Amino acid sequence: MEHLKYLKWINYAMAGLLAMAGLFGGAMGLIMLMASSSQSEAEGVFVSVLFMVLFMGITLPFALLHYLTGKRVAEGRWRIVQTILAIMGIMNMPVGTAYGLYSLWLCWMNEESKAQFV
């Protein structure tokens, strides 16, 4: 049961990192927008807005998903969602790999945790 609390806090940390990345991407998009609007180039404005919307539109929903998954995993629910996030995280070396492997081990191989999910 203690491992599920750790996984909850790890999911919260991942959500915080993704939210910060999303906000940073939004700020970079605004900087690009201000730089391109001073030159009054329509293409630059379009690219800046597109960058900002796409970057924030990808990272912020994943941040919310990590946060919600952390809450549910601590209650012994959402094992499939946690597994999907873990598999996606494995590709992100080195933090995502450690997160993904720990999550998969916890959800599917640890006997104490498996009992909580049933």
Side-chain angles (χ1 to χ4, degrees):
M1 185 66 173
E2 196 70 24
H3 283 288
L4 291 178
K5 290 180 186 176
Y6 296 149
L7 187 58
K8 173 179 89 169
W9 288 105
I10 292 170
N11 273 311
Y12 288 168
M14 295 293 281
L17 289 173
L18 283 168
M20 287 190 313
L23 294 176
F24 178 75
M28 292 303 294
L30 283 175
I31 291 170
M32 289 170 40
L33 181 62
M34 290 188 312
S36 63
S37 65
S38 67
Q39 299 170 356
S40 68
E41 296 177 10
E43 274 183 23
V45 171
F46 176 73
V47 169
S48 301
V49 171
L50 183 66
F51 175 80
M52 190 170 48
V53 168
L54 285 177
F55 200 84
M56 291 177 73
I58 291 171
T59 56
L60 294 180
F62 274 106
L64 179 63
L65 187 60
H66 272 281
Y67 175 76
L68 293 174
T69 302
K71 286 179 68 173
R72 299 305 187 270
V73 164
E75 300 167 356
R77 302 181 347 206
W78 281 28
R79 178 165 59 170
I80 299 298
V81 176
Q82 179 63 60
T83 301
I84 293 168
L85 288 175
I87 290 170
M88 290 172 48
I90 286 177
M91 295 179 280
N92 299 319
M93 294 282 242
V95 175
T97 304
Y99 162 75
L101 292 176
Y102 178 69
S103 299
L104 290 174
W105 172 79
L106 188 62
C107 288
W108 297 101
M109 301 188 79
N110 185 336
E111 295 300 325
E112 181 182 332
S113 299
K114 280 183 7 183
Q116 290 290 1
F117 283 114
V118 175

